[in-house]
Amino acid sequence: MNSLCLVTDKVTSFRQLGSWEDSYILANATTSAMTIDEKIGLVRGTGQLNSVRRCGGDTTPVSRLDVPSICFNDGPAGVRSTKGVTGFPTGINAASTFSRRLMLARGKALGEEFRGKGIHVFLGPAMDIMRNPKAGRGWESFGPDPYLNGEGAFQTITGVQSVGVQACAKHLIANNQEHNRYRLNANVDDRTLAEIYWYPFLRSIEAGVASVMCAYNKLNNTSSCHNAALIGNNGLLRRNGFKGYVVSDWGATHDSASDNANAGLDMEQPGDFIFIGGGVFAGLESAVDSGLVSADRLDQMVTRILAPWYLLGQDSGFPPVNFDAQHPDGSGSLNLNVSVRSDAHTALSREIASASAVLLKNNRTTTTGTLNGTTTRGLPLSASMMKTIAVVGQDAKMPNLNCNDLNECSDGTMSIGWGSGSNSLEFIIAPIDAITSFVGTSANITSSLSNDLTTGTAAAEGKDVALVFVNAMSGELGFYTIVAGNQGDRNDLDLWYQGSSLVEAVAAVNENTVVIVHSVGPVYMPWSTHPNITAIIYAGAPGEQTGPSIVDVLYGNYNPSGRLPFSIADSEDDYGTTILYDNPENINYAENLLLDYRYMDSMGIVPRFEFGFGLSYTTFAYSDLSISASGTSQIITFAVSNIGAVAGTEKPQLYLGYPSNAGEPSKVLRGFEEVVLDVGASSLVNMTLIQRDMSIWDTSIQSWIRPSGMFTVYIGASIRDIRLTSTF
C-alpha cells in the first residue's frame, strides 16, 4: 500500500476576514473620530490596581464608537485565572509532537476557548529559545532550535487567529533566563540574533500575527520596549512586514513616555507602575501636548491597535467578557461561570499529550521471543500478563488544587510549570487515577505516592511491573517567587525530591521497572542503562490529560511517536551555555549559533539522548532519496515504510549541511513530517527547502543570502540517526 504525504508551503498566509489594507482604512476612520483622551485610553492599560479590571490586561472602551475594552489574557497553554477551561499541553510538548497538524489544531482550540471567554488577545505563543536547559520558562516555547520554534509559532498563530482571536508573539527578544530579568542586558551579535532568536518572530509575521510583546530585558544596552532598532518604523519588525502593534510586557516600560512612544511602542500594559516598572504612558498626553510625541504618532499607535481588531472581525459579534481574572475561584458578580470546555478539546489535549510522549528506552521481551508475542517485560504493557502493578512516586498523585493561580506548588504530578504561562488544573486527571480506572479489577495495584525510598521499594518488590513517576519543574520569576528552592530557572538538571535515587532504588528490587518523567526540560538520567529499567518515557509537561494520555501509551492504545525537542546530556557543560544567577547585569551570547545539538556536534559530544530522538512500538525503514530543483527551491523526496508488527507514526526529519565556507553548524533542522503507516505500508514524503532555508544572514548587507557551494541533505529519525544522505 502506498500513499502520498503532502507538505504545505511554509509561508502560506492565515485565513483572514478582510485585508490589512481594508482594516487600516476602518481603523483610520475610527481614530479620526476619537478625542485625545479616548486615544490615550486605548494605548494605555487601565492598571493592575484597577478593581474592576476583568482580564489580565485591558484598555478603556470608547463606547460611543462601539470600541470595547480590549481584553488581554494569559496564557500560551490555556486561559488562566478562570474556571471552565481546558489545561492544554505546553508549548514544549507541542514541539515534541513534531506535528504541524497538532500544533495547528492546538492553536485553533486555544483560540476557541479564549474567544468563548470574551478575550480579544491571546498572550502567546511564547517563542523564547531554550538557550539553556535550566531556563525557567523554556517549557512555554518550543525548545532550543529556531526552525522548530518558528514552525510551532506559525501553526499556533494561524490556529488562534483562524477563529478571530488575536495572537501576541512574545517576548521580543533574547528573553532567555529568569534571574535578574528585569534589569538584564543581553549582548547578542547581529547574525546570531537574526538566525536564532529573531527567526521565530519572522515566522510569526508570516503568519499575520496581530501583536508582538516586547520583553523585560535590554538588548545590546537598550530596553526592548523603547528599542527603535527592534520596534521602530525602520526596526526589525516593520522592515520584515509586521503590520500589527507592539505591546509591553507587564511593567517592562522605563524612562519617559516619549522615549517609548517614539521608539515604536504602541501600547503599555498594565498601564500603572507595578514596582518593576510601568506607568510611563501616564505622561503621554502631556508629551503630545508639548510636542515631544507628535499627534500623528499617537494616531499611528491607535490605528495599529484597531487594525487587527477589524482584521479578525472582532468589531462584530465578538462575545463580551464573562469572567473576572481578579477572582479566579469563580466568585463575584463579574464571573458568569461560562464553561468553554468541549469533548473535542479534551480529546485533542489527550492526543497531543500522547503524541508528545517520547519513548527513550524499550527493552521489550515477549512470550514468543518475536515482535508478535505478548509483552512480559517492557512496553506496551499486557493486561493479561501484568497482574500486580506498583505505582511509585509523588508525581503520580493529584497536585495541590488549592495552590494559587500561578501554580506555584510542586506537590503531586507535574503537568505544567508555574507563572503566568501556567494553566488550569481544575480538570486534571492524575496518573494514579487514570491507571486505577483503566486497570479496574484486572490487576492489583500497590502504590507509594511519595518519593520515600523505603515505602517505594516495598511497594515495587515482587510486582510484575513497577511504574515510577518522577519530575522536575521550573517557572517564572514573577515577584521573586521561589518554589522548592528554585527561583524561576532551575538550580540544576537533577530530578526533584531525590527522583533519581527513587528510580535506582526501585530498579534494584524490580526487574521490570518503567520510568515516566514529567519535566519542563532535560534532566539527568544516569540510571537509563540499568538492566532492570526496561522502559523510559519522557512525558514532558502534558497538561490536564496527563493520566489518560500516559495510560494510552503504556498499554499500546497509542503508539508513541514523540521526539525530543532538545538533547538530554550528562552535564550542563555539554550545552555550552549557563544561567547566570548572581544578579547579572550583562549576559554575553558568546556561543553564537551553537545551541544544544549544534554545540554538541561541534564539540564531538554524544548526548545520552539526542535531539529528535524517539522510539516506537514498530520499526520504520527509509529509502529512495531524490532531490530536484524547482525555481529557487529544492524538493526533497524519499520513502518511509513500516516494517514492524503494528501500525505507527514516523517523524522523519531533514537536516541541512551548508557549504564549508558558510560558517554554519554541521547540521541544522530544516524540515520534519508526520507519516502515519499501517503494517507493511509505505509513503512517499515530500519536503521543500525554500530559498531562506538555504540562506545565512549577511551582516554587511543586512540580508539573507544563499552561500555558494555544495549543500548536504540528511534525512533521518534524529540528529544522530541519519538514514539517507545526498547533495545538491
Side-chain angles (χ1 to χ4, degrees), residues 158-355:
T158 301
V160 167
Q161 297 194 166
S162 73
V163 296
V165 172
Q166 300 179 41
C168 180
K170 64 182 188 181
H171 308 81
L172 190 74
I173 196 169
N175 176 64
N176 307 117
Q177 74 165 57
E178 291 301 288
H179 277 75
N180 208 36
R181 69 176 186 174
Y182 302 122
R183 294 187 299 159
L184 187 65
N185 173 54
N187 293 312
V188 190
D189 71 88
D190 188 45
R191 181 171 177 179
T192 299
L193 187 73
E195 294 190 22
I196 303 293
Y197 301 95
W198 166 247
Y199 182 79
F201 288 95
L202 179 58
R203 290 293 282 140
S204 299
I205 294 170
E206 292 169 349
V209 71
S211 60
V212 169
M213 182 187 292
C214 51
Y216 289 115
N217 60 281
K218 298 177 183 177
L219 174 71
N220 297 332
N221 298 307
T222 302
S223 173
S224 298
C225 289
H226 63 84
N227 191 323
L230 287 176
I231 64 176
N233 285 338
N234 296 309
L236 264 178
L237 281 172
R238 303 298 172 184
R239 289 203 313 269
N240 284 279
F242 177 57
K243 294 181 173 63
Y245 59 94
V246 178
V247 59
S248 73
D249 203 341
W250 272 230
T253 49
H254 306 281
D255 303 317
S256 70
S258 58
D259 285 332
N260 288 268
N262 291 334
L265 183 68
D266 300 307
M267 180 189 289
E268 181 190 36
Q269 287 290 348
D272 50 3
F273 180 75
I274 56 169
F275 175 67
I276 56 175
V280 302
F281 275 6
L284 183 57
E285 186 168 353
S286 63
V288 174
D289 290 341
S290 66
L292 291 174
V293 176
S294 70
D296 286 346
R297 170 59 186 141
L298 178 60
D299 286 354
Q300 182 184 59
M301 295 159 68
V302 174
T303 55
R304 284 175 173 174
I305 293 165
L306 288 174
W309 182 71
Y310 282 115
L311 178 74
L312 296 174
Q314 294 183 339
D315 59 317
S316 177
F318 199 86
V321 176
N322 53 47
F323 71 104
D324 181 3
Q326 298 197 61
H327 294 87
D329 61 354
S331 65
S333 61
L334 297 180
N335 267 316
L336 304 186
N337 296 308
V338 174
S339 175
V340 292
R341 291 176 59 83
S342 70
D343 291 343
H345 291 176
T346 300
L348 176 65
S349 296
R350 182 170 176 169
E351 180 185 3
I352 294 172
S354 294

Side-chain angles (χ1 to χ4, degrees), residues 46-55 58 323-324 326 334:
T46 66
Q48 193 78 9
L49 301 179
N50 175 11
S51 62
V52 296
R53 172 182 51 81
R54 297 179 71 173
C55 304
D58 62 2
F323 71 104
D324 181 3
Q326 298 197 61
L334 297 180

Side-chain angles (χ1 to χ4, degrees), residues 656-659 693-695 706-713 726-728:
L656 187 65
Y658 282 75
D693 292 333
M694 300 174 279
S695 298
R706 175 176 166 174
S708 60
M710 185 175 68
F711 289 78
T712 303
V713 170
S726 189
T727 60
F728 63 87

Side-chain angles (χ1 to χ4, degrees), residues 575-630:
Y575 293 90
T577 60
T578 189
I579 297 292
L580 300 182
Y581 294 99
D582 297 325
N583 295 318
E585 294 292 334
N586 291 278
I587 183 168
N588 298 318
Y589 285 45
E591 72 283 352
N592 301 321
L593 305 179
L594 301 178
L595 291 181
D596 197 87
Y597 70 87
R598 298 165 172 227
Y599 177 77
M600 294 177 194
D601 278 0
S602 73
M603 300 298 291
I605 296 168
V606 179
R608 189 165 290 256
F609 299 107
E610 73 270 17
F611 179 92
F613 178 79
L615 301 173
S616 170
Y617 295 151
T618 192
T619 304
F620 300 98
Y622 292 59
S623 63
D624 301 328
L625 174 62
S626 66
I627 304 175
S628 60
S630 176

